């Protein structure tokens, strides 16, 4: 099952793309629920955001474990050293944010004092004290980290497209087809 040294293994590629679409969808849903006029008819959207966000947190942890078992191949050579350093830093930041964004959302939801329910029935333990001041601070943190996540994702996608369209060096192809 280990990824061959020359490319990304199937589990790594499946995790990458499932999580990429999941994260972008959860971001859009979060931005929507934070701005919608809340009513009884749309409360379930909060639960959906928390549920998908919690699944993404579990997948991020699985991905980090899998990374240890089957380390990804090094980057294809070509770009100047500063771009390689930037890409490595972006990958590290993406991993930190794959954990930090959902954990901050979970903490923010805990601070509201309401049960943090996912899948409509499973109550997660509270990881922050219930208090309006803590809730405000954590809401700011979750929002800031989520928008920072989007910024790093855009940088990462720009780098991937530059190599796919500009250099045509197989970087995108090996993440798609191995
Ligand atoms: C990768 C996972 C996640 C992403 C990308 C994400 C993204 C977002 C975004 C973009 C917002 C709107 C921020 C704004 O005001 O502009 C938001 C709000 C929120 N998120 Fe998340 N989130 C994630 C996971 C979670 C999790 C796991 C929970 C809770 C268990 C959660 C709870 C919340 C809550 C309660 C809000 C506030 C809605 C409101 O303003 O009333 N999020 N999230
Ligand atoms: C939206 C959330 C995304 C996240 C969190 C993310 C995260 C990552 C991470 C951490 C890696 C390093 C390899 C690994 O450890 O798995 C990676 C590699 C890669 N990503 Fe993404 N990615 C996202 C979206 C995208 C999108 C939309 C594209 C395509 C346009 C893309 C293209 C690539 C490519 C081509 C690589 C391989 C780079 C190499 O060969 O070294 N990613 N991604």
């Amino acid at each position: 099952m280990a990824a061959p040294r020359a490319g990304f293994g199937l589990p790594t590629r499946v995790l990458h793309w499932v999580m990429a679409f999941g994260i972008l969808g959860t971001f859009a849903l979060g931005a929507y629920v934070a701005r919608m006029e809340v009513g009884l008819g749309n409360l379930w959207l909060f639960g959906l955001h928390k549920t998908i966000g919690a699944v993404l947190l579990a997948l991020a942890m699985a991905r980090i474990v899998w990374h240890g078992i089957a380390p990804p191949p090094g980057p294809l050579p070509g770009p100047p050293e500063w771009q390689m350093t930037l890409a490595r830093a972006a990958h590290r930041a993406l991993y930190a944010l794959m954990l930090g964004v959902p954990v901050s959302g979970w903490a923010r939801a805990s601070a509201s004092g309401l049960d943090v329910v996912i899948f409509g029935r499973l109550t997660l333990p509270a990881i922050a004290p219930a208090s309006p001041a803590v809730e405000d601070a954590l809401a700011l943190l979750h929002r800031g980290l989520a928008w920072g996540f989007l910024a790093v994702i855009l940088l990462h996608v720009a780098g991937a497209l530059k190599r796919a369209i500009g250099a045509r060096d197989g970087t995108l192809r090996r993440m798609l087809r191995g």
Side-chain angles (χ1 to χ4, degrees):
M1 283 296 272
R5 280 178 64 82
F8 292 100
L10 185 65
T12 303
R13 284 181 280 135
V14 169
L15 274 171
H16 177 271
W17 293 110
V18 167
M19 290 188 70
F21 286 107
I23 289 166
L24 291 172
T26 309
F27 182 93
L29 183 59
Y32 177 73
V33 294
R35 284 158 188 80
M36 71 188 184
E37 201 171 313
V38 180
L40 278 181
N42 58 22
L43 272 181
W44 66 278
L45 289 174
F46 286 96
L48 184 64
H49 178 73
K50 292 175 195 174
T51 301
I52 306 176
V55 170
L56 286 167
L57 174 60
L59 286 178
M61 292 189 291
R63 187 165 172 179
I64 289 166
V65 171
W66 183 248
H67 208 294
I69 298 171
L76 293 173
E81 192 48 40
W82 71 267
Q83 286 181 15
M84 301 291 234
T85 308
L86 187 62
R88 267 194 304 273
H91 291 170
R92 273 196 290 271
L94 289 171
Y95 273 110
L97 289 161
M98 278 186 253
L99 298 174
V101 171
V103 169
S104 65
W106 179 1
R108 181 231 184 281
S110 305
S112 72
L114 301 171
D115 281 351
V116 186
V117 180
I118 58 170
F119 295 110
R121 60 175 73 194
L122 190 70
T123 303
L124 299 181
I127 56 166
S131 128
V134 175
E135 187 184 4
D136 284 351
L138 290 172
L140 210 60
L141 180 69
H142 185 53
R143 170 185 285 186
L145 289 179
W147 284 92
F149 202 7
L150 185 64
V152 184
I153 290 168
L154 291 179
L155 176 71
H156 173 71
V157 172
L161 293 183
K162 182 171 178 295
R163 297 196 70 172
I165 298 164
R168 295 193 189 184
D169 64 2
T171 293
L172 183 58
R173 197 167 53 239
R174 72 176 184 158
M175 187 44 109
L176 287 166
R177 285 192 258 138

